[in-house]
Amino acid sequence: MNRVVHPIEVESYRRLRARLDTSHFPPLTRAVVERVIHSAADLDYATDLVMAEADLEKAHAALHAGAPVVVDVEMVGAGITRRETVCRLRDAEAGPGLTRSAHAIRLAYEQVGPGALWVIGNAPTALEELLTLDADPALVIGLPVGFVGAVESKAALRESGLPAVSNVSEKGGSAVAAAALNALLYHPTSAEEKL
């Protein structure tokens, strides 16, 4: 992907790296950590985020091979650049024991099937619902925000053993979830590195 980086972004990363040494992180982990920090201006994400480089490598390959990207809310999708996303929230309905966000995840899974990248930045119930499905995801970026259910849903994601990016605290949100996906999207592939 040929991406022109604006001088403001270049300076922002220079300042970020002047305040926080990220050089010890493996390449994709570093990309995710830095882009999330950049999106939130919150250096604490360096110790709050949880991910495995091997999972990121597989997800990076799947993403660049065209795997679908599913988001829980349109705001997350709006933050993901240069890639179409699937969001079924407008079609979803709440029901007994089922939030609208959870129903949207069911609808999205029916549409895309296994192997997608799931980006959840808003609703803990969306993440909880995804964990009940046999979605076989390429990656789950589970960064819902809030004081009710966010910490618990992210802990459940980590306990599930699914390939994931999550964080330990209540923090999260649409911007940071989109940033985590964009980090993988912007990171060069092996073919691009050779150019």
Side-chain angles (χ1 to χ4, degrees):
M1 165 182 289
N2 291 328
R3 181 173 171 266
V4 177
V5 180
H6 193 279
I8 292 173
E9 184 176 336
V10 171
E11 177 60 15
S12 183
Y13 272 79
R14 187 196 67 73
R15 291 182 187 192
L16 182 162
R17 290 173 182 148
R19 292 177 63 184
L20 178 71
D21 180 9
T22 60
S23 63
H24 63 283
F25 289 117
L28 289 168
T29 300
R30 181 181 186 186
V32 171
V33 168
E34 288 184 346
R35 189 145 298 275
V36 166
I37 289 171
H38 176 259
S39 73
D42 186 345
L43 298 174
D44 289 341
Y45 274 110
T47 56
D48 193 40
L49 287 165
V50 179
M51 67 198 95
E53 185 74 5
D55 291 342
L56 297 179
E57 289 169 356
K58 291 175 187 169
H60 182 260
L63 179 64
H64 288 274
V69 176
V70 180
V71 299
D72 64 331
V73 292
E74 290 180 19
M75 196 168 196
V76 173
I80 296 171
T81 57
R82 300 184 183 200
R83 190 62 187 267
E84 293 296 318
T85 62
V86 173
C87 181
R88 296 297 304 273
L89 191 59
R90 287 181 187 237
D91 305 318
E93 297 178 5
L98 184 71
T99 66
R100 196 166 151 240
S101 295
H103 186 227
I105 294 299
R106 286 185 190 178
L107 294 173
Y109 179 66
E110 290 171 8
Q111 180 178 338
V112 303
L117 288 91
W118 295 79
V119 188
I120 298 174
N122 185 62
T125 59
L127 183 53
E128 291 165 1
E129 183 63 26
L130 179 60
L131 295 177
T132 69
L133 302 174
D134 188 21
D136 191 23
L139 184 70
V140 178
I141 295 174
L143 295 169
V145 63
F147 295 111
V148 178
V151 168
E152 296 83 358
S153 67
K154 290 180 274 193
L157 172 60
R158 289 189 298 280
E159 291 166 11
S160 75
L162 293 174
V165 174
S166 69
N167 69 311
V168 177
S169 72
E170 295 92 350
K171 295 189 297 189
S174 298
V176 297
L181 191 281
N182 283 338
L184 299 177
L185 190 60
Y186 299 162
H187 201 274
T189 62
S190 298
E192 290 171 335
E193 289 172 345
K194 292 175 185 174
L195 295 177

